[in-house]
């Protein structure tokens, strides 16, 4: 080696260690290119709505301990198949977002106030990303386990000053010509349930859509037609209830809908974009319902497998897997019996929602205790049974989002905690940073820490579509 060069390089090397941390931080670092060297023909954006890190952790623990396998999401980390990041989830009005503002950050590329979809404080509207991709010739769709008109799918597709304007959002999808839309929400399409008596199913059929309303309909879809699949009034059933109740088995899983949506759009010459939402992960967190939470997260995880299997075969598909915000921050609690207690969740047959809905004011204490043991293998004390029964006799009352019947969700989760070692910090959204994983062409553009709005730009860069002016009115 040339001695002079060696000494010069040694001086530079040793000099670096003489710099202060602030000076080191100021040294320019290579930046990722804003354009992907490989073009993403398709994009699949997956959202486990309301997934705190504890939810991802517990579903993987359950999968390992009870099912004997690593969850697919965590396997992607173990096998180093994905780029990984933390993401801040704030909205324009709060460090804690709702789903409408969160989806608008992904969909419109801007932070808006909670409660609105791609709409600014003065009514200005921002172009939803699925509309932009359709303008560039791609097919676009959404599948979800809640109503297809709910905030998360709507945030990629429409502008609305009110996230709850679901009857109007159902009409907007038809006007925009979205290619595949699947989920719940019959009350927003059915003339017998809409206040204005409009028959939106007929509107969609007149526009050339095939309309399906049960899982068997997914098996014979015409690839040459757009698809509207509405499988329930309100949200689809929780996964654990669907698995254990025969009357629910003809509703599709998230993986079923995802596979069908990909099949419908994958041969389009200009490619497709698809949003996949595990919406009932959020609802179960609002209810502090651990069995519902874990099983719906695992159902989302099966959809992850469906998507990654396709993306690996295809080679031209960018997959983004994330959540829009945390919710209730559940987690396992230290103790000598923590593992055994957590594993007892495998004995739960139903959601807390189903269990508590079956209790009536005329139950006696023994009937309450017998029913809870049948559903969860938990032996209540007389005092616990009396507390639960108080909610049905008017003595006690509990509020909460998606708790329409004022059921004792919080009380019962506290009782369960003694047996399953799972605790919750609240019954609502949280502002913690969340996980992002990206696979396929464009995944290298994911920085280690991002704002939620940056995923909007990442999708456009990966597909090599010029960024349009976000504000459209």
């Amino acid at each position: 080696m040339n001695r002079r060069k060696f000494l010069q390089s040694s001086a530079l090397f040793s000099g670096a260690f003489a710099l202060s941390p602030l000076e080191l931080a100021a040294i320019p670092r290579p930046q990722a290119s804003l354009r992907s060297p490989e073009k993403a023909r398709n994009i699949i954006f997956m959202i486990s709505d309301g997934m705190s890190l504890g939810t991802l952790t517990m579903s993987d623990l359950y999968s390992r301990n009870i099912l004997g396998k690593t969850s697919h999401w965590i396997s992607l980390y173990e096998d180093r198949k994905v780029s990984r990041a933390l993401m801040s989830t704030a909205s324009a009005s709060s460090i804690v977002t709702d789903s409408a503002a969160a989806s608008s950050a992904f969909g419109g590329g801007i932070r808006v106030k909670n409660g609105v979809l791609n709409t600014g404080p003065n009514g200005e509207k921002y172009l939803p990303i699925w509309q932009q991709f359709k303008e560039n010739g791609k097919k676009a769709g959404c599948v979800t386990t809640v109503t297809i008109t709910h905030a998360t799918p709507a945030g990629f597709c429409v502008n609305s000053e009110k996230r709850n304007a679901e009857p109007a959002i159902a009409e907007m999808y038809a006007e925009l010509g979205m290619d595949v839309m699947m989920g719940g929400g019959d009350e927003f399409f059915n003339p017998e349930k809409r206040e204005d008596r409009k028959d939106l199913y007929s509107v969609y059929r007149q526009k050339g859509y095939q309309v399906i309303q049960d899982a068997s309909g997914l098996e014979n879809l015409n690839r040459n037609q757009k698809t509207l699949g509405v499988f329930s009034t309100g949200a689809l059933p929780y996964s654990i209830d669907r698995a254990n109740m025969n009357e629910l088995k003809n509703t599709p899983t998230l993986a079923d809908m995802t596979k069908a949506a990909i099949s419908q759009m994958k041969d389009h010459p200009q490619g497709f974009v698809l949003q996949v939402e595990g919406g009932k992960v959020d609802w179960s967190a609002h209810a502090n319902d651990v069995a519902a939470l874990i099983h719906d997260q695992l159902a989302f995880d099966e959809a992850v497998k469906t998507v990654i299997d396709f993306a690996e075969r295809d080679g031209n598909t960018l997959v983004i897997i994330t959540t829009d915000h945390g919710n209730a921050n559940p987690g396992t609690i230290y103790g000598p019996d923590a593992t055994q207690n957590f594993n007892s969740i495998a004995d739960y047959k139903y959601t807390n929602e189903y269990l508590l809905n079956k209790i009536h004011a005329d139950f006696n204490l023994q009937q309450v205790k017998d029913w809870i043991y049948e559903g969860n293998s938990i032996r209540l004390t007389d005092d616990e049974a009396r507390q639960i029964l108080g909610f049905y006799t008017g003595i006690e009352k509990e509020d909460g989002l998606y708790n329409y019947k004022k059921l004792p969700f919080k009380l019962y989760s506290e009782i369960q905690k003694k047996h399953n070692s799972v605790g919750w910090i609240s019954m609502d959204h949280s502002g913690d940073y969340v996980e992002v994983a990206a696979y396929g062409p464009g995944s290298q553009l994911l920085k280690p820490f991002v704002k939620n709005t940056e995923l909007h730009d990442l999708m456009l860069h990966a597909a090599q579509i010029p960024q349009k002016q976000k504000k459209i009115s």
Side-chain angles (χ1 to χ4, degrees):
M1 176 183 287
N2 183 294
R3 185 171 181 272
R4 180 175 295 176
K5 288 183 179 180
F6 173 77
L7 291 172
Q8 288 174 341
S9 63
S10 298
L12 288 170
F13 183 70
S14 61
F17 284 96
L19 295 175
S20 71
L22 286 176
E23 289 171 319
L24 281 171
I27 296 174
R29 285 175 164 75
Q31 298 294 316
S33 168
L34 288 179
R35 300 187 69 82
S36 171
E38 298 176 280
K39 181 178 180 180
R41 178 172 170 270
N42 312 310
I43 296 175
I44 303 177
F45 196 108
M46 306 190 71
I47 302 171
S48 178
D49 197 303
M51 188 201 76
S52 297
L53 182 56
T55 301
L56 180 63
T57 302
M58 290 193 301
S59 65
D60 183 65
L61 285 173
Y62 187 95
S63 186
R64 292 173 190 261
N65 293 2
I66 306 304
L67 305 180
K69 59 181 182 179
T70 307
S71 65
H72 301 298
W73 189 332
I74 298 301
S75 290
L76 293 173
Y77 290 168
E78 289 186 342
D79 297 340
R80 301 185 180 184
K81 287 186 175 182
V82 293
S83 300
R84 183 182 179 190
L86 283 178
M87 178 177 69
S88 67
T89 62
S91 72
S93 56
S94 176
I95 59 171
V96 183
T97 189
D98 79 333
S99 291
S103 188
S104 297
F106 303 141
I110 37 80
R111 284 180 166 172
V112 298
K113 292 182 178 180
N114 290 345
V116 304
L117 294 163
N118 299 308
T119 303
N122 300 311
E124 61 272 27
K125 301 191 185 312
Y126 298 87
L127 181 66
I129 195 165
W130 269 201
Q131 288 190 38
Q132 184 165 348
F133 278 120
K134 279 190 69 65
E135 288 177 4
N136 280 270
K138 295 186 184 297
K139 288 190 174 183
C142 300
V143 299
T144 180
T145 54
V146 295
T147 56
I148 190 58
T149 47
H150 214 256
T152 301
F156 277 52
C157 302
V158 305
N159 303 92
S160 177
E161 294 183 1
K162 295 182 179 179
R163 60 171 286 176
N164 294 328
E166 293 188 70
I169 290 169
E171 295 185 68
M172 292 179 199
Y173 290 160
E175 293 168 5
L176 293 168
M178 291 296 161
D179 297 278
V180 178
M181 304 299 282
M182 296 184 190
D186 178 66
E187 66 270 36
F188 305 120
F189 299 86
N190 191 329
E192 296 179 3
K193 298 176 183 178
R194 283 180 61 103
E195 287 186 9
D196 59 11
R197 300 301 179 191
K198 286 184 180 178
D199 185 353
L200 285 201
Y201 287 128
S202 291
V203 170
Y204 276 80
R205 288 189 179 101
Q206 289 166 9
K207 289 180 175 288
Y209 283 78
Q210 55 193 326
V211 176
I212 55 173
Q213 295 184 275
D214 56 43
S216 58
L218 294 176
E219 298 171 6
N220 299 300
L221 291 176
N222 183 341
R223 290 190 183 180
N224 297 318
Q225 284 185 277
K226 294 179 181 180
T227 304
L228 174 67
V230 181
F231 305 107
S232 64
T233 298
L236 272 63
Y238 283 107
S239 296
I240 188 173
D241 289 339
R242 180 188 179 279
N244 291 302
M245 298 167 65
N246 288 330
E247 63 268 32
L248 301 178
K249 291 189 184 296
N250 203 27
T251 53
T253 66
L254 186 61
D256 292 336
M257 293 187 289
T258 301
K259 182 178 180 181
I262 292 171
S263 179
Q264 285 296 99
M265 299 190 290
K266 67 182 178 65
D267 295 326
H268 184 58
Q270 281 74 49
F272 70 89
V273 290
L274 174 67
Q275 184 206 92
V276 177
E277 185 205 15
K280 296 204 79 172
V281 173
D282 183 63
W283 291 29
S284 53
H286 279 298
N288 286 185
D289 190 335
V290 68
L293 183 81
I294 288 174
H295 285 275
D296 261 74
Q297 180 63 33
L298 289 175
F300 178 83
D301 199 61
E302 286 302 312
V304 169
K305 182 180 187 304
T306 297
V307 167
I308 293 296
D309 284 350
F310 166 76
E312 287 182 329
R313 293 192 306 270
D314 178 70
N316 299 302
T317 300
L318 169 65
V319 181
I320 298 172
I321 311 168
T322 188
T323 181
D324 50 353
H325 51 74
N327 190 343
N329 286 32
T332 49
I333 301 167
Y334 179 79
D337 300 318
T339 302
Q340 180 181 339
N341 289 350
F342 177 79
N343 290 348
S344 73
I345 298 168
D347 296 328
Y348 295 8
K349 296 179 183 176
Y350 309 112
T351 60
N352 295 352
E353 179 180 279
Y354 180 75
L355 277 176
L356 297 174
N357 260 314
K358 288 294 183 180
I359 298 174
H360 300 287
D362 58 357
F363 271 35
N364 59 40
L365 293 185
Q366 191 59 48
Q367 286 174 307
V368 174
K369 292 168 71 173
D370 289 346
W371 175 234
I372 292 298
Y373 185 78
E374 180 180 339
N376 277 179
S377 297
I378 289 175
R379 297 189 185 279
L380 297 180
T381 66
D382 283 350
D383 185 55
E384 289 169 339
R386 191 175 292 110
Q387 282 183 288
I388 289 172
L389 199 53
F391 282 81
Y392 302 86
T393 58
I395 298 173
E396 304 285 352
K397 186 179 179 182
E398 190 175 291
D399 294 318
L401 197 61
Y402 307 121
N403 188 6
Y404 306 112
K405 297 184 179 180
K406 310 301 181 185
L407 299 172
F409 288 147
K410 183 63 176 176
L411 169 66
Y412 189 54
S413 73
E414 289 295 320
I415 292 171
Q416 287 179 314
K417 181 170 70 173
K418 302 171 190 176
H419 302 270
N420 61 30
S421 295
V422 173
W424 311 76
I425 68 161
S426 74
M427 300 184 82
D428 218 330
H429 296 181
S430 55
D432 39 315
Y433 299 150
V434 299
E435 288 282 330
V436 185
Y439 172 87
S443 60
Q444 74 281 357
L445 299 175
L446 183 66
K447 297 182 294 185
F449 183 78
V450 293
K451 291 173 60 176
N452 45 11
T453 53
E454 292 180 69
L455 297 188
H456 172 97
D457 298 332
L458 188 152
M459 285 188 279
L460 294 173
H461 292 150
Q464 297 182 11
I465 292 177
Q467 174 70 63
K468 293 183 68 172
Q469 178 67 34
K470 291 188 174 100
K471 188 184 292 187
I472 55 177
S473 69

